[in-house]
Amino acid sequence: RFHYKQKLMLGASIRFKDAIVLHMGYTLMKCFQINYSYDFGISKLRNYHDGTHEITLVYSYNLSVVKNRFLKQKYGYLF
């Protein structure tokens, strides 16, 4: 994943022998994040679908208690 100013997220992933996934997300008001993903099928099932769209809205509450944990998960540095 690539993060720009802790607001914009771009990334890609792969599910072995199944799909290549592109991700994009934006953080709103520090506690909301909206994400969009698109799966490109690479398995034999690709003949039966044109890909998959996914939109997610994430709300994180009580950030003062779990601030470091939230930021680690949100920005991908889990160590």
Side-chain angles (χ1 to χ4, degrees):
R1 287 191 278 184
F2 171 76
H3 295 273
Y4 181 71
K5 293 187 178 184
Q6 296 186 352
K7 287 283 186 184
L8 182 65
M9 181 273 296
L10 300 171
S13 59
I14 188 166
R15 286 194 309 268
F16 187 65
K17 294 185 180 182
D18 183 39
I20 296 172
V21 185
L22 298 178
H23 311 275
M24 179 170 74
Y26 188 77
T27 302
L28 306 163
M29 300 181 297
K30 295 184 180 181
C31 61
F32 287 99
Q33 186 175 28
I34 187 162
N35 301 305
Y36 170 77
S37 298
Y38 184 76
D39 294 16
F40 297 94
I42 58 174
S43 70
K44 292 180 182 179
L45 292 175
R46 72 178 177 270
N47 297 326
Y48 304 101
H49 67 85
D50 292 329
T52 304
H53 299 272
E54 180 179 317
I55 297 174
T56 57
L57 178 63
V58 178
Y59 173 70
S60 298
Y61 64 94
N62 204 3
L63 293 178
S64 62
V65 173
V66 292
K67 182 177 181 181
N68 290 334
R69 180 173 172 249
F70 174 72
L71 289 175
K72 286 179 181 179
Q73 290 176 349
K74 187 173 178 182
Y75 297 111
Y77 48 88
L78 298 174
F79 331 82

